[in-house]
Amino acid sequence: MPLLNEQTYTTDDIYSLPEGTRAELIDGQIYYMAPPTRRHQRITGTLYRKIADYIDAQKGSCEVNIAPFAVFLNKDDRTYLEPDLSIVCDPDKLSDRGCEGAPDWIIEVVSPGSRQMDYLIKLFKYRSAGVHEYWIIDPEKNRITVYDFVKNEQNEYSFADCVPVGIYPDLTIDFGQLRF
């Protein structure tokens, strides 16, 4: 939930939060995050391994990052996100702070408190910023929604399906074979 006042916040405010406080900043508004569930972490970790193993096997130049990993989506001090997984293929966007600009592929795993953020607010922000592909994984609904912003396509899959990856035409992730 955003703070209920008119103040605009910056990344300095995010970095000033008490140790252990999880929050994101979108257009100057702070959104606090609950700690992820065990299943959320298992899904994120499993996908991280699959994607990182694929990139390594292909000797690819893209880098997969797992939250907490800072994404300064608009290259400003008013938007700071920590997607569950961020795949960045342009090494010039990577710094010690995180990713400066739009990652190529973002994966968010929906939590009970993040549903509106993931399906509405972040969808708009990611599309506007130039992310190529955005996956919303919804464990409660056993659904994967894939947005390919380059092709202007949206597809839905279940946890029993093989899901093709748009930025890697030869990669599919078989959710039916994964154990979370």
Side-chain angles (χ1 to χ4, degrees), residues 74-162:
N74 300 328
K75 298 184 188 176
D76 65 18
D77 68 346
R78 297 186 64 235
T79 300
Y80 164 97
L81 297 165
E82 291 184 359
D84 292 310
L85 292 172
S86 305
I87 295 80
V88 182
C89 298
D90 181 353
D92 291 337
K93 290 184 179 180
L94 296 170
S95 71
D96 285 340
R97 288 182 358 136
C99 179
E100 310 282 344
D104 295 86
W105 177 19
I106 289 179
I107 299 174
E108 294 281 10
V109 179
V110 176
S111 299
S114 74
R115 187 165 300 284
Q116 180 178 355
M117 289 287 295
D118 295 336
Y119 280 103
L120 299 173
I121 298 169
K122 288 183 180 180
L123 171 64
F124 174 77
K125 289 303 291 184
Y126 292 151
R127 179 183 7 221
S128 300
V131 170
H132 296 193
E133 188 168 353
Y134 175 42
W135 288 21
I136 302 172
I137 300 175
D138 195 328
E140 187 176 299
K141 296 182 178 185
N142 291 321
R143 179 176 67 201
I144 303 103
T145 306
V146 174
Y147 295 92
D148 185 327
F149 298 134
V150 174
K151 295 179 181 174
N152 200 27
E153 293 179 353
Q154 174 188 342
N155 293 292
E156 296 207 0
Y157 303 91
S158 77
F159 276 26
D161 293 329
C162 287

